[in-house]
Amino acid sequence: MKSIFNKNNIQRMPFFVLSILIFVYICPNIRYPSIGENSLFPAFIFVLGYSFFSYKELKIYLFVGILSLIFPIYSVLFSPKFGEYSIISSLMSLYLLTVPVLSSITLGRILGYRYSYKNDRTIRREFYLLTFLLGLLFGLSAFLKNVAPSILYFFLHAGRTSHNRFAFFFTEPSQSSSVLIGILLLGFCFLFKNNFSAIFKSKRKIIGFCFICFSVFLIYLAQPLSIFAQLAIAAFLFVLILISHFIYQIIRNKIIKLRILGLKKSILFLGRIFIFLAPLISIVYFTVANYFERMLGLLKFIEKEGLFLGVMISAGNRFYYIFTTIIEGLRKPLSIPGDWVGNFSDSLLNVLSEFNIMPPDAYGLLQLHKQSLNPLLLKPSGWLYFGIYDLGIIGLLIISFFLFKKYLFWSINGIIKCDKFVVLLVSIQLSLLLMPLLPSTPSAFLPLLVASMINSYLENKTVINNNFNI
């Protein structure tokens, strides 16, 4: 049985429906219906478009679903302490491990296949409409949070708005960082000539500049401190991959290929790049120095504790959560999905005490009070770290290989060829995973969505062209 949207009818998919799917994807904290604190709406993206997956892929997802049934049976027979929560914790594990990934891949394939049938004029028109709707979404949510927050929170989970910042329609400001990075990335895509930006012809640079300004303005209002760490990690990984490829070429060919770093361009071209970047970097620096008081606090932490510890400790409980999950993932490399319920608080106390890094206000900082309220509330932050704790490191590696198999090989091939856009997507994806967001945030896999969209667009465009030639 085919899904409602499939390869045969995707070209007729109404734009209205597509805009709803995009809204659900970037705004997952809708109250109803939900599993625990996770909205079921992003799961519907996969339900509506599962026909875009091959039979082999669907068998893998079915296997992960069957794994989630083991813990409820095990808890009834051998571990009744949290048996009443076992079914929900297993469903939450299934949700957190698969829905963000599957919704990203599915929406990417829907976009790729749909727009492979559209002409440039239609693509431009719908892109402008999506941009308008995105701006309206940010503006309306900011307005309601200040004027009538009860209306907004009737539909969405309450957002944290500390430090006089806007969380917009996100559960908390840091959750917005992946979407804001995506808007910033889109702006730079317009500035440089490629197949997508070429559709907008002479307007591409103006559009790119507007998107960059829009993203900087949103970052200023939301002030997600995590976005600076994510951008720094992405930049570091991007440069590291390019340098590694550069060194590899030297060793392999015994020559220096300056084209890897873009140095085949003229001095005039490099000068223009410097003239463009220098004011932008200066504006960002002075904005941070003058207005982001929390960034100044971060700099003080770095000065006192060093770069690594300063960044980690200033991140609050994230450092302690990450450290605990990695240690526990190494100690128990294979685990059953769902068995995290009720155990994470004990792991925190045991690991941090063992390594003598227990924070002064452990009970408040580590949010241990959640354990007494509801053991389902206390869990690792971020998809990567939740997976490490829930499945163990080996278990997560095995599941990840099958979940990301197609795009893993695509990424490796792009890195080998030194495709800078692929390298950039990989760098951003890794940074979003390494710097944890809420584990239920689908937009943490926004680069995966882009990769899925590009692959699907090219695959179907090739099929269309071949059929046309015949």
Side-chain angles (χ1 to χ4, degrees), residues 179-189 211-212 215-216 219 231:
V179 176
L180 298 180
I181 288 175
I183 297 173
L184 187 64
L185 174 65
L186 184 62
F188 281 105
C189 284
F211 266 94
I212 291 174
S215 63
V216 171
I219 291 171
L231 289 173

Side-chain angles (χ1 to χ4, degrees), residues 348-362:
L348 280 169
L349 295 174
N350 293 336
V351 170
L352 299 182
S353 298
E354 179 182 346
F355 286 87
N356 197 28
I357 55 173
M358 186 70 71
D361 181 22

Side-chain angles (χ1 to χ4, degrees), residues 7 51 96 107 177 185 208 217 270 279 289 404 406 410 428 438 456:
K7 296 178 182 179
S51 291
L96 297 176
L107 185 55
S177 60
L185 174 65
F217 178 67
L270 296 177
F404 305 114
K406 178 177 181 179
W410 178 78
I428 294 175
L438 296 180
S456 301

Side-chain angles (χ1 to χ4, degrees), residues 85 258 306 464:
Y85 297 101
L258 296 179
I464 293 173

